[in-house]
Every structure is written in C-alpha cells, then in structure tokens.
Amino acid sequence: MKTRIYIIGLAITLLVSCSKFLDEKPNVKLLVPVKINDLQGLLDDLEVLNQQEPAPTEVAADDYRLSEANWKTLDEFNRNLYVWAPAQNFVTGAGSAWTLYYTQIYKANVVLNDIDNMHDTQSNPIEAANVEGQALFIRSRSFFNALQVWALNYNEVTAATDLGVPLRLNVDFEEPTKRATVAESYSQVVNDLRKAVNLLPVTPLHVIRPSKPAACGLLARVFLSMNKVDSCLKYTQLALSLKNELMDYNGDVGINAAANFPFLRFNKEVVFDSYMPHPAAVSKGEIAPELYEMYETNDLRRNLYHRSASTIGYFKGTYAGSNPMFNGVATNELYLMKAECLIRSGEVQLGLNTLNDLLRKRYKNDGSFVPKATTNPETALTIVLLERRKELVFRGLRWMDIKRLNAIGRNINLKRTLSTSQYTLNANDLRFALAIPEDIIVNTNIPQNRR
C-alpha cells in the first residue's frame, strides 16, 4: 500500500482545494489507514455525517412564517435567507453549509480512494464492499443535498448547461474547483447510489449506517426530484420490499403521545438516521395557517406533530427523539413516493390504496377515518401531495418538492410579509438556487448563481 497521511478535520481547505485559504491552522488528527476497520471509523463520525446536516432549505421553505420582531432577532444571513435575498445567505468559513457538505464528501473520498489498498480487503470482501457502499451513499447524498441548495431543479432540456455543484471525487487539494453541470452532477449522484445499492447489506449493523433499502430510498428521492416517475417507483418498490414497517400512531411501540417529543429515535420506520440542528428561524416561527388547517380533527398528526395551531417552538414531530429535525430516510416517505408515482403513472386506485395503507395508521382508529377515493388522476395527485406535505413536514424535503413540482407546472409561488413589506419568490425563479457563500466564490473563482 502506498502510505499516505490523511488530515482529518480540515475545514475550508477541503472545499476550495487550496491550502492558502486556511486563515488558522486547526488541530488535526493524523491517521494512516491500514485496515478496513480504520476506514469504517471515518464513516462512523456521527457528528459530521449524521447529526449536523445543514438546514438552509427549511429556513427558505413555506411551512412556517415569522413575525417581524422575531425575524429581527436572527442573524443577517438567516434574515436574508428568509426573504430570499439575492446574496449573503450563508455565513462564511468553517461553519457554513458548504463546508459541512464538502467535509462529508471529503471523508467519503478518503475511503473510496484507499479501500482497495487496505491490508485485509482481499480477505474480507463482504466487509470491504459494505464500507465502499457506505462511502458512495454518503458522497452521493451530500452532492444531492448540495444540489437542492445551490442548483436549479433538474430540467431535461437545460440540464446540460445549467450549473450544478463541484464534483470533488478525490482527496487532491491542488485540483482546481469547478462547477459541473446539473446533468453531470445528477449523473454522479445516480451512479454512486446504483453502485451502493449493489454493495450494501439489507440489514445494517445500525440505522446510523447506510444499507441497501436506504440507498434504494435515497435513489428514489433523487429520481423524484428529477421527475423521473418510473425510476422513482422502481427503487421505492425495491426499498419497500426490503423494509416496509409503519408505526400505528394510535399508540404503537416508539410513540409516547404525552412526551414533549412523542417519537422514539430509531423507531421502526427509520431506514437511515440523520438529522438537522433545529433552525432558530423555524423555532421562533408559527405554522403556516394553510398547512395546519389541512389536518382534520381525527388526524393524529395534528397533535403528535404540532404544539398548537401556531406555535412551533422545537418541532415535536421529528423522528430524532429530541429537538433536532429528522431528515433521514424512513418508510413513511417511501409509501408516499410509491403512491405519487403510481398515480402519476395512471394507476390511480393502486396509488390511493398505498396512500390509505399509510393513513389508516395516522388517523384515530375509532371508525371515523374515511379512505381517500377518486377516479380523477389530477384530484388523486392533489390528495397525495397534500398528504405528503402533512406527513413529511420539517423533514428537509419541502424546498425540493416546491422546485420539482414547479418544474411540471404546479405554479407554487411563495410570499413573505414583514410589517408592511412583502417578499415574493415566484415559481421557477432563479433564486431557488441559493447564493453560494461569497468566500467560496472569491477563493475558487467559480461562477455565482445568476439572479
């Protein structure tokens, strides 16, 4: 094995591939990986890979609103993000969302660059495949999440020219940073995940690690964002064939309705566990009235998810078991993707059957639940999209949904009101690709998103 010393814990250097960008020398740990278990240790860094997911799209999305007084208590960047300002949306330096995503990518690249050189790779092929699959999952997930923040939605016509994100595929700091196209970016994400599906085990040691159903579920999410219905349905069904349990909100194991946070972490719906620190903007906000009014009085999510008709505080419906916001992969998302894709494929009744399988476990079991029914495809699609918004609220998915649905003509326009000032973000506006942190632009010379 060609001995290499990897510096773990780098911040900005990882992102711009230029050591001169470091203003301060961080404390680092030096590690020479020699065994597969050494690489697994890098992937088991929960703080970086599972527990610190950036949440800018939750701040920018429309499931809540802020009073002007509470908006003024936020820092400059979150104030700008809330009103979709054309610039200055992110802090700079080591704590930025960009840094966090590319730190995750760097860790995955360390593993992928050295997996074939470990002393025990040949003698432990199953373990080696598992570790490689985990790294591919992590890298593709981070690229995909970055695309939701800094790129326009995938469009078959313009994807070859629209700007995506830098595709860092190795650990070479000296490689110039450049933005790939949206088409190239999504191709990388899809290819990584397809490889991961073939390498990962069906049942992981723990759901904090990627698995085959997690990779299938994430790949389905990616295809949904691209509005590729057939591919989304294929991987959703594959994921559900491997893991399909749902909790019954009427009082199943893993639910304590009287608790401040009713849902147990690692409950049986969780396929891959990760979460975002709760954004201050959301905790100081109020539930969007039109969203809260969607919950019927016999809908258990009304009280299990929300503290009141207005107050959010720390969102209580998270699957994180405490105040962070769960944004991993779970079976309830899989059911909703399957239902939507069946309906969009013309299988209206099968889609509604899938949706009702989920809803029966979300409504009171006192006989008051009326299954959703219609023969009209557009009505059925509207029903499933409303249920998706209700079920997956504050999961980090709403911004993606707005972008993908606007790409097929749903015409979702966003509006904020602060005192006498109004701010709008119309469907397919260029600002749906948020401004890349200004320090990244300066130090890499990559093009900023258009406005």
Side-chain angles (χ1 to χ4, degrees), residues 39-40 42-45 48-50 53 100-101 103-109 111-112 131-145 192-193 196 200 208-210 215 218 272:
L39 299 181
Q40 181 66 69
L42 296 180
L43 299 177
D44 286 338
D45 186 348
V48 173
L49 301 180
N50 297 77
E53 295 286 302
L100 289 169
Y101 284 135
T103 298
Q104 294 171 347
I105 291 164
Y106 176 81
K107 282 182 173 286
N109 282 336
V111 174
L112 294 170
V131 168
E132 182 180 0
Q134 291 176 58
L136 287 165
F137 177 95
I138 289 165
R139 185 171 74 179
S140 60
R141 184 171 183 266
S142 298
F143 281 142
F144 175 67
N145 288 339
D192 276 358
L193 281 173
L200 289 167
I208 59 175
R209 289 183 180 176
L218 181 56
F272 174 73

Side-chain angles (χ1 to χ4, degrees), residues 288-323:
E290 71 276 9
L291 171 59
Y292 188 79
E293 290 167 5
M294 292 178 189
Y295 297 92
E296 300 169 87
T297 55
N298 62 336
D299 187 338
L300 294 165
R301 295 170 297 187
R302 181 184 176 102
N303 294 321
L304 287 173
Y305 284 8
H306 303 292
R307 299 190 183 281
S308 74
S310 57
T311 302
I312 300 175
Y314 285 110
F315 174 62
K316 64 185 288 194
T318 174
Y319 280 7
S322 58
N323 60 33

Side-chain angles (χ1 to χ4, degrees), residues 268-301:
K268 65 184 180 183
E269 290 188 10
V270 175
V271 184
F272 174 73
D273 182 77
S274 67
Y275 50 80
M276 311 170 285
H278 205 292
V282 176
S283 62
K284 295 179 179 182
E286 298 180 344
I287 296 292
E290 71 276 9
L291 171 59
Y292 188 79
E293 290 167 5
M294 292 178 189
Y295 297 92
E296 300 169 87
T297 55
N298 62 336
D299 187 338
L300 294 165
R301 295 170 297 187

Side-chain angles (χ1 to χ4, degrees), residues 23-253:
D23 294 323
E24 298 180 6
K25 296 291 184 183
N27 292 325
V28 298
K29 296 178 181 178
L30 300 181
L31 171 68
V32 180
V34 294
K35 294 184 177 181
I36 295 170
N37 196 52
D38 296 334
L39 299 181
Q40 181 66 69
L42 296 180
L43 299 177
D44 286 338
D45 186 348
L46 295 184
E47 183 175 355
V48 173
L49 301 180
N50 297 77
Q51 300 177 356
Q52 293 293 328
E53 295 286 302
T57 57
E58 278 302 324
V59 178
D62 63 343
D63 283 342
Y64 76 108
R65 64 184 185 184
L66 282 168
S67 67
E68 183 174 29
N70 283 343
W71 175 73
K72 286 181 176 179
T73 67
L74 302 175
D75 63 35
E76 172 192 4
F77 305 100
N78 279 293
R79 291 198 305 271
N80 288 341
L81 195 53
Y82 181 75
V83 298
W84 315 295
Q88 299 292 327
N89 297 154
F90 297 95
V91 298
T92 59
S96 75
W98 186 280
T99 301
L100 289 169
Y101 284 135
Y102 279 90
T103 298
Q104 294 171 347
I105 291 164
Y106 176 81
K107 282 182 173 286
N109 282 336
V110 168
V111 174
L112 294 170
N113 274 262
D114 256 21
I115 185 64
D116 291 335
N117 297 322
M118 296 299 98
H119 291 169
D120 54 348
T121 293
Q122 296 301 318
S123 58
N124 294 283
I126 295 176
E127 185 180 355
N130 183 7
V131 168
E132 182 180 0
Q134 291 176 58
L136 287 165
F137 177 95
I138 289 165
R139 185 171 74 179
S140 60
R141 184 171 183 266
S142 298
F143 281 142
F144 175 67
N145 288 339
L147 284 164
Q148 302 317 300
V149 180
W150 292 296
L152 296 174
N153 200 71
Y154 182 90
N155 182 314
E156 200 78 58
V157 177
T158 63
T161 54
D162 288 339
L163 288 175
V165 296
L167 296 175
R168 307 296 302 183
L169 302 177
N170 57 55
V171 294
D172 182 4
F173 294 155
E174 299 305 317
E175 181 179 292
T177 298
K178 62 179 182 178
R179 293 184 70 176
T181 66
V182 165
E184 291 167 338
S185 300
Y186 274 90
S187 178
Q188 185 67 50
V189 169
V190 168
N191 289 338
D192 276 358
L193 281 173
R194 281 180 167 151
K195 291 177 185 175
V197 167
N198 292 325
L199 294 168
L200 289 167
V202 172
T203 305
L205 181 65
H206 194 282
V207 291
I208 59 175
R209 289 183 180 176
S211 62
K212 190 182 295 290
C216 290
L218 181 56
L219 191 47
R221 184 189 293 175
V222 172
F223 280 126
L224 186 67
S225 78
M226 300 170 75
N227 286 307
K228 293 186 176 292
V229 173
D230 291 345
S231 295
C232 177
L233 181 60
K234 172 185 173 180
Y235 284 100
T236 301
Q237 291 178 318
L238 182 54
L240 285 170
S241 73
L242 301 172
K243 184 175 175 65
N244 57 24
E245 292 178 292
L246 288 172
M247 289 184 290
D248 188 336
Y249 280 13
N250 284 280
D252 207 341
V253 173

